[in-house]
Amino acid sequence: MAPNSSVVATTTSVAEAEAESPPPSLSAPRQPPPTWIRESNLLWYHRWVIRVLRAGPIPEHVAFIMDGNRRYAKKANIAKVEGHSAGFEKLSETLQWCLEVGISEVTVYAFSIENFKRTQDEVDALMDLAREKFQRLLAERDRLHERGICIRIIGNWDLLAPDIQRSIAEAVLLTKDNRKATLNVAFAYTSRDEMTHSIRTVAQGISEGRLEPEDVNEELLTRCLYTKYSAEPDLLVRTSGEVRLSDFLLWQSTSTVMYFTETLWPEFTIWHLFGAVFYYQRYRWRMQDVRRSLDGFTIDAACSDEAHAKESSCVERKERIGRFLAHIEEEEEKQLRRLVRGMAIK
């Protein structure tokens, strides 16, 4: 499902509001200890802008393509892994900004399956960084519960080392009942892989007799994606000047407002976030029209099909699909618990 209808903004220069913020220094100032959970660093004028923005609609779900870490490292004359570390620090800071603006769900593109094609040294360094950050996430479990943050790691876990799988499985299980905010980390992810996973899941359901071929539709495939627990993103932000999605949330972005900025991810500031939210407020109505049109088409088609079917058959179909989806969720939780215990996936 290509996002052909999505509203796109491209910034070729820093927005007016962004210009008020001085560019971050490329020197290495003293940094606080690495953490996923930041305390607020906003000043009174930041809070004033937030109050103004909240007079309009705030996106509930924002996705970020965090691009530009390697270019930042080159620009700052530091190692690539240090650029990626700077990107993580910016992520934790941005998550706090999102909470304060009122954004309740964030999805970030942390590591693409395509990234495995980079040099082995860089891939190894990124995996070591991931180990460190996921362990840090587990160490901050009390703060995650205190803030009510649910962590989900979406992607093909089979491509990851067993110790990383175990860490992320523990993080997902620990926070699965938190409801105040959600962070989805796309790790070893591409949309093509996600759609392939969904189709295979449905095909397996048919082969096992849990589904019938006529049960397959767009809604069922959507509910078998890695992102099945999330609504479609309202706003997608990509940094570094690239104007493409790089195989990220292609199925989910049909009615998403898209905002592109030339700023490198480690240099992203709250002013850039303000600019993206303001742009969303200006063009949200267009995407609502697109969404209504798509939903109307889907509903009309479903009603037309059901008009030719017996009511009892429709009820049976819904119950069958419900049982299948419940089975999938149960199997996924069992898999998580096996990973936490250090057992191989079966």
Side-chain angles (χ1 to χ4, degrees):
M1 187 182 297
N4 296 329
S5 304
S6 299
V7 171
V8 178
T10 305
T11 61
T12 56
S13 61
V14 180
E16 291 181 13
E18 296 164 359
E20 299 177 16
S21 177
S25 171
L26 293 182
S27 60
R30 181 179 296 276
Q31 296 291 332
T35 177
W36 287 81
I37 311 297
R38 293 270 187 130
E39 299 301 327
S40 176
N41 62 354
L42 301 188
L43 301 175
W44 66 267
Y45 46 85
H46 297 134
R47 300 187 187 282
W48 182 84
V49 174
I50 289 174
R51 284 198 295 270
V52 172
L53 287 174
R54 284 185 172 179
I58 297 295
E60 294 182 5
H61 182 187
V62 177
F64 291 94
I65 300 179
M66 307 179 295
D67 195 16
N69 292 339
R70 293 193 296 173
R71 273 172 279 177
Y72 173 81
K74 183 177 181 180
K75 180 180 177 181
N77 196 27
I78 58 178
K80 288 179 182 178
V81 68
E82 293 182 58
H84 292 300
S85 294
F88 169 78
E89 294 305 313
K90 184 55 61 179
L91 168 60
S92 63
E93 191 173 25
T94 302
L95 293 176
Q96 180 58 34
W97 294 336
C98 287
L99 288 173
E100 298 195 66
V101 169
I103 297 164
S104 59
E105 183 165 8
V106 171
T107 300
V108 297
Y109 204 1
F111 189 85
S112 167
I113 291 175
E114 295 298 312
N115 291 153
F116 282 112
K117 296 178 180 178
R118 295 181 179 180
T119 65
Q120 191 60 49
D121 286 345
E122 185 175 358
V123 171
D124 290 344
L126 286 168
M127 291 298 110
D128 288 342
L129 184 62
R131 288 183 176 90
E132 175 191 337
K133 301 311 179 186
F134 286 130
Q135 283 299 317
R136 182 63 192 173
L137 184 66
L138 294 174
E140 296 185 296
R141 64 187 71 190
D142 291 340
R143 300 181 71 188
L144 290 170
H145 291 316
E146 180 184 336
R147 301 282 183 95
I149 299 174
C150 174
I151 303 294
R152 300 185 186 125
I153 314 297
I154 59 174
N156 189 340
W157 293 20
D158 291 340
L159 301 177
L160 302 174
D163 61 318
I164 296 179
Q165 292 185 42
R166 181 173 181 174
S167 294
I168 61 180
E170 188 173 355
V172 170
L173 282 175
L174 281 172
T175 63
K176 66 183 180 67
D177 296 323
N178 293 342
R179 293 290 181 268
K180 292 182 181 178
T182 301
L183 171 61
N184 305 304
V185 181
F187 200 79
Y189 172 93
T190 62
S191 279
R192 287 174 295 174
D193 177 76
E194 179 180 34
M195 287 184 263
T196 301
H197 165 81
S198 177
I199 293 168
R200 284 176 175 168
T201 300
V202 172
Q204 184 177 355
I206 294 173
S207 68
E208 293 176 352
R210 299 180 186 275
L211 292 172
E212 297 296 332
E214 58 268 23
D215 295 336
V216 182
N217 58 19
E218 180 183 329
E219 180 184 1
L220 178 59
L221 290 172
T222 299
R223 296 178 71 180
C224 292
L225 294 171
Y226 296 140
T227 56
K228 56 183 170 290
Y229 300 113
S230 300
E232 294 182 357
D234 302 300
L235 172 65
L236 186 148
V237 178
R238 177 164 187 160
T239 57
S240 86
E242 297 291 342
V243 186
R244 52 194 172 90
L245 295 182
S246 298
D247 215 350
F248 180 56
L249 300 182
L250 300 183
W251 182 282
Q252 301 88 339
S253 300
T254 306
S255 57
T256 298
V257 176
M258 298 183 185
Y259 185 84
F260 298 91
T261 176
E262 290 190 348
T263 305
L264 302 178
W265 174 248
E267 297 176 330
F268 190 79
T269 72
I270 194 167
W271 298 108
H272 297 89
L273 181 61
F274 288 162
V277 172
F278 179 65
Y279 185 85
Y280 165 80
Q281 293 177 338
R282 291 176 59 198
Y283 291 98
R284 166 179 171 267
W285 62 273
R286 292 188 185 179
M287 304 322 297
Q288 286 181 322
D289 289 343
V290 171
R291 185 73 269 166
R292 279 193 290 267
S293 297
L294 292 172
D295 288 345
F297 176 81
T298 303
I299 292 171
D300 290 344
C303 291
S304 176
D305 291 341
E306 292 180 5
H308 297 86
K310 295 181 180 179
E311 183 177 348
S312 60
S313 176
C314 292
V315 171
E316 181 181 346
R317 176 177 176 272
K318 289 179 180 179
E319 290 179 347
R320 182 168 58 246
I321 292 174
R323 288 193 298 270
F324 169 72
L325 294 174
H327 168 73
I328 294 300
E329 289 187 21
E330 182 181 345
E331 289 301 308
E332 286 179 350
E333 183 162 342
K334 287 180 181 177
Q335 183 183 60
L336 290 173
R337 296 190 183 281
R338 284 198 296 267
L339 284 171
V340 170
R341 292 195 301 267
M343 298 172 62
I345 302 175
K346 298 180 179 179

